[in-house]
Each structure stands twice: as C-alpha cells, then as structure tokens.
Amino acid sequence: MLTHSCRHLRKWFPAVCLAVGVLFATNAQAGKNKKKPAIEEHAPQPLPEIDTRNLVWPDPPEVARIRWLEQYRGEPKSAQPIAAKPKKKESWMLRMAGIQPLEVDKTDLKYKLVRPYGVAVDSKGNIYAADTYVGAVFIFNPETKAVDFIRNGRDARFKALIGLTIDDADRLFVTDSGLQRIFVFDANHKFQATFGSDRLGRPSGVAVDNKNRFIYVTDVLKNNVVVYDLDSFKYLRTVGGPPEKAGDDAPGTFARPTNVAVAANGDLYVSDTLNSRIQIFDAGGTFLSTFGKGGDGPADFARPKGISIDSDGHLWVADADQNRVKVYDKQGRLCAFFGEYGYFPGQFALPSGIAIDKNNRVIVAEQILNGRLQVFRYITDAEAAGELAKHEQQAVPTSGASTTPAGDTTSQ
C-alpha cells in the first residue's frame, strides 16, 4: 500500500520541484551550500501582497497534495500604537541638538519568535513552539489567534529550550540542553517534574510512544537515544551510541542525532544529522534499517533535523541546509519535496522542527529571518484519490453529448 501510495505521490508531485511563480522555483541545485547573509543584515521588510488561498503543491491541474495555510511569528500587533513618552532626564548635548529622546513602555512590547525549534500540537489543536533565544514556549490558539506562554523565570527556570512533544494526556515535555534535563508540564501548563539530569549530556529532540508508554530523547553529545518510561520517567535503556572511531558510520551508531519520531507500529525513526541519514529501530531498540546519504540532490540529505510521520505513514524531514521539506515512504524512497531559501510563504530559512497533527496539519519551525512557524495541510492518499476520480469523471463526456468545443462553428 505504501509503495502504491508513493507511486501516486510521485505522479502527483512532478511540479513540486518546478517553479511555482517566481517565489517558489526549486531545482536539484538549490540545496548546494552557498553563503547566506548573516541574520543581523536582515531587517524586517514589508512583504508584497500575496494571494495564498490557492498556494498548493504541485501546481494545478495536478491534484494538490500540500496546501499552505498560515504562519505565526508571535503575538499579534496591538491595535493601538505603542505608547512613547519623553525621557525625564536629557543630556545637555541632546538639549543643544534639540533632540527629545523617547522611551517606550516595555509592557507594550510583544513577544516574537526568534529561534523556534521544537514544535508540537495538543488535543485541542493548539500549536506549541520552543524558542531558545526568547527562553519561552509559545502557545498559539489557531481559533482565537491568542498567544500564551510558558516563560523562563515565571513558570520554570530554563537555560536552552530545544525539543517539544505532547502525550495523550496533553502533558508537555520540554528538553533543555543547557540544564541537561526534561521539563514536564500538565495539560494546564503547570510545572510537574524534571528528569534525566543524571544521564543526559545535551538533550535535543523528544517523542512519545503512547501505546508502549515510552519517551525517547536524543542526546547530541553522547550520540545516542535515551528511553524512559512515560509514566514514571524511569530510565529504561539506551538506543545506539557513538562510533568506535571517528568517521565510522556503522548502522546503529550516531553522529549528532537531533530528532526522533514514532510510527503507528512503534518503530523509532532517528535523524542521524551529521551522517546525513535516517535510522529506524523497533520498539525494543533493535536496528531495522537506514536510508539517505549526503549530497545536494532532492533525495539526498545535507542536514536532516526535524522529522514527523503523517497519517499515511510517510516520513517528513526538514533539511536545515537545503531549506527543504521532503517526504519519504517507509522504504526511504523520495515521494515529494518543496521549498527553497527565502522568507515568502512556502520558502524556508533554516527549517529545524516539524510536527504533524491528527488533522494533517504540518507545522514547520524556522530559525532565521526573524523566526516563524509555517502551517501546511497534507492532503491524504484517500482524499487525493477521491479528488483524482472526480477530475477523471468530469473529463469523460456525457453519453450523447456534443464534444464540439463551445464557440466552434466549423461544423455549421
């Protein structure tokens, strides 16, 4: 079924790597390493008006498989201008120059995403993003557009937030690579516990297996994946480990594993980032297979990071260096890819985290160009098949109906 699914994905995605107007042109060379401007050089710029209502991949008339929905950058702008008032004390030089400095009431300033990495979605559809730079977990409500936070110094003491995941009880798990531990918050965002500081070196990605009651944490310093009990937080085992010698990429060994995802059958997928591959293990930690190699081609990896699995079993990978999102089947065959470097909808700038929810929304976190989350909608195999059947039915002329094009008078 997955092979059949991927074959149809290939059929319906031929335009994914072609131009989608001037904004979305991609090709096999787009992933090459090229010098990118430093973030300090990127001042916020006004974006031209873009009609994103029909922004899909691939281009019509092919059946759409991915649809762009929206993006998040932080708290919405205030309807009122930020209050500013003259400073009470001015230097004599400013007085001579006739300059009246203003001070801004910091209570009016809004929280904006800067370096979001881990993303997750709860049972209510709220979107969570861990921002390392801001030191907070952003919580976006897509319905009301309200933004809530779990803040450093108020709700917990963070140092370097990285990964996020949410279990079937809406408990939030947050990895802190600076404090070498996992923070746990309940469904009301209240702090519950921490664990892992006795074993973790630099925790990064995190994922839960609700069925088998496991929580997986990648350790980019110790080059392994640590497994804990989801209910007691007790250490269970370690998956993988560092190579015996530098440069060795034997199966089951890692070079900076950054992220993890769990399939419906309990299989564990790991982004083996510096080895430019994905490794797959069963729920007991036994190595199953691996795929991927370094390169700049569409199917290759440059720096695979965030990974997630959709409802049809496809693996989605955020490649931070190629600035692409790629879709693979279970056998590691590329089914689709999209994106290029940029700040317009459908383009990416250091995509690092990715999550797919039960409603087939795909959330991608980007870490430069002022930080943002982009939200896409994955059109499932069943939905696409139904749409294709509808198109084919419409293309078949009704029995007895004239096939002469409208306006054609040559037969008269």
Side-chain angles (χ1 to χ4, degrees), residues 61-385:
E62 299 292 337
V63 174
R65 299 306 308 271
I66 300 170
R67 182 179 300 276
W68 193 90
L69 294 182
E70 57 186 339
Q71 64 183 9
Y72 296 92
R73 293 188 179 275
E75 288 187 283
K77 292 182 179 179
S78 174
Q80 301 296 327
I82 296 177
K85 54 186 178 181
K87 283 186 175 181
K88 294 180 180 179
K89 294 183 180 180
E90 302 172 10
S91 71
W92 65 270
M93 293 182 66
L94 292 176
R95 288 197 300 271
M96 287 185 63
I99 298 174
Q100 188 178 40
L102 300 178
E103 65 177 5
V104 175
D105 183 355
K106 293 184 178 180
T107 60
D108 290 332
L109 296 178
K110 302 300 181 182
Y111 270 63
K112 298 296 181 183
L113 291 169
V114 182
R115 296 287 189 279
Y117 190 104
V119 286
V121 185
D122 67 18
S123 63
K124 301 178 183 65
N126 297 313
I127 298 173
Y128 296 66
D131 195 305
T132 307
Y133 185 90
V134 176
V137 177
F138 287 66
I139 307 169
F140 298 95
N141 185 319
E143 298 297 326
T144 65
K145 303 305 178 184
V147 187
D148 198 2
F149 302 91
I150 298 176
R151 288 189 175 96
N152 179 37
R154 187 191 72 177
D155 305 295
R157 293 288 181 181
F158 300 128
K159 188 173 182 180
L161 304 180
I162 300 292
L164 294 181
T165 194
I166 295 176
D167 70 3
D168 53 3
D170 273 348
R171 290 184 302 173
L172 174 69
F173 296 84
V174 184
T175 64
D176 190 316
S177 66
L179 296 177
Q180 298 90 40
R181 66 191 62 187
I182 312 299
F183 285 84
V184 187
F185 298 87
D186 65 19
N188 296 314
H189 310 148
K190 301 300 182 184
F191 171 77
Q192 270 194 330
T194 65
F195 65 94
S197 60
D198 59 334
R199 190 172 296 275
L200 296 169
R202 195 184 301 165
S204 179
V206 58
V208 295
D209 181 342
N210 290 304
K211 181 179 179 180
N212 293 308
R213 310 308 294 170
F214 299 146
I215 179 166
Y216 296 98
V217 184
T218 61
D219 192 323
V220 297
L221 182 64
K222 296 184 178 181
N223 289 312
N224 59 27
V225 177
V226 185
V227 188
Y228 294 92
D229 182 275
L230 184 56
D231 299 304
S232 67
F233 311 141
K234 178 183 177 181
Y235 167 78
L236 298 177
R237 60 180 173 276
T238 298
V239 178
E244 292 185 3
K245 58 181 180 179
D248 183 15
D249 60 353
T253 64
F254 298 118
R256 301 295 185 260
T258 55
N259 291 273
V260 282
V262 179
N265 66 351
D267 285 350
L268 173 69
Y269 289 71
V270 184
S271 292
D272 191 3
T273 300
L274 292 192
N275 280 329
S276 301
R277 65 185 179 182
I278 304 297
Q279 296 203 62
I280 308 171
F281 302 81
D282 67 17
T286 301
F287 171 81
L288 296 177
S289 62
T290 183
F291 69 89
K293 63 180 180 64
D296 55 16
D300 300 331
F301 292 124
R303 205 190 316 167
K305 286 196 171 182
I307 55 177
S308 193
I309 300 173
D310 66 32
S311 57
D312 289 323
H314 303 109
L315 179 72
W316 295 58
V317 182
D319 193 307
D321 198 58
Q322 289 192 9
N323 293 300
R324 290 170 171 164
V325 172
K326 307 180 180 188
V327 186
Y328 298 84
D329 67 7
K330 273 189 174 180
Q331 288 70 42
R333 294 174 297 196
L334 180 68
C335 297
F337 71 95
F338 64 104
E340 68 168 345
Y341 181 76
Y343 54 87
F344 290 104
Q347 296 178 322
F348 300 108
L350 195 64
S352 299
I354 187 169
I356 304 176
D357 71 1
K358 62 183 180 181
N359 295 316
N360 297 305
R361 289 183 304 171
V362 181
I363 300 98
V364 182
E366 298 168 74
Q367 290 199 298
I368 59 176
L369 296 180
N370 301 312
R372 67 173 170 176
L373 305 180
Q374 291 194 69
V375 184
F376 304 84
R377 168 68 157 82
Y378 166 61
I379 287 81
T380 66
D381 292 339
E383 291 172 326

Side-chain angles (χ1 to χ4, degrees), residues 29-36 295-296 302-303 319-322:
Q29 301 300 318
K32 283 190 175 180
N33 292 331
K34 55 184 178 182
K35 184 178 179 181
K36 299 181 178 67
D296 55 16
R303 205 190 316 167
D319 193 307
D321 198 58
Q322 289 192 9

